[in-house]
Amino acid sequence: MPAITRIDQIPTSHSIFPASSHPDLHHTGAVHHGWNTGRQLLLHAARSPLAKPITGRPQPLREQAIADLRTLTRHLDTVAGPIILALHVSAVQQPSPDADTTALIPLISEALADLGNWGIRAPLSEQLDLIARCVRALHPCMPD
């Protein structure tokens, strides 16, 4: 897979998590739902034309997540690698909502191992807080 450097290059879950492809995917439905939901929230936050329109009844948690993601940095694509790590941590490992940056480090390491062929490098120490804030922004929209 070529290196992913922009939010709109994040693939859908079924292309990266096919059935029984990953030992941690005990509940593939939740992982697929979490990944695709998080991906759409990131696409909306980055104002990507690939974002599907939010239709139907108001979804305040998703609207809040998009607003929170937009406050992380002026240009989400400049930190696509750390944000993709946060998406993986949120959708696959599904940490508790009160997990701090220190608790997320082993999960980030696992995400790096899983996404190694995506050209994502280990985050800089100053990016760890960004990842934690992104995980917290995505958490309310992740499946239980």
Side-chain angles (χ1 to χ4, degrees):
M1 177 172 281
I4 295 179
T5 58
R6 293 188 338 261
I7 301 296
D8 60 4
Q9 293 174 320
I10 300 172
T12 61
S13 67
H14 287 51
S15 62
I16 57 171
F17 300 121
S20 71
S21 69
H22 192 284
D24 293 336
L25 296 181
H26 301 293
H27 304 288
T28 56
V31 170
H32 287 285
H33 175 71
W35 182 273
N36 289 328
T37 297
R39 178 180 174 268
Q40 281 300 313
L41 294 172
L42 289 168
L43 289 170
H44 277 281
R47 293 179 171 86
S48 170
L50 298 177
K52 294 179 182 176
I54 297 177
T55 59
R57 60 185 162 81
Q59 299 184 16
L61 289 177
R62 290 185 182 193
E63 292 166 10
Q64 184 61 50
I66 292 166
D68 290 347
L69 290 167
R70 284 184 178 152
T71 65
L72 295 177
T73 182
R74 292 180 60 82
H75 302 287
L76 287 174
D77 282 332
T78 63
V79 290
I83 290 195
I84 293 167
L85 292 173
L87 173 58
H88 188 283
V89 167
S90 296
V92 178
Q93 288 110 346
Q94 301 173 356
S96 68
D98 59 345
D100 64 5
T101 303
T102 305
L104 294 177
I105 290 174
L107 304 179
I108 294 167
S109 296
E110 187 176 322
L112 274 169
D114 287 350
L115 304 176
N117 64 339
W118 287 22
I120 297 172
R121 299 177 193 263
L124 302 171
S125 57
E126 59 267 18
Q127 293 173 323
L128 294 175
D129 183 58
L130 171 71
I131 294 170
R133 291 184 1 220
C134 185
V135 168
R136 283 191 289 278
L138 291 170
H139 188 272
C141 300
M142 292 293 118
D144 293 331

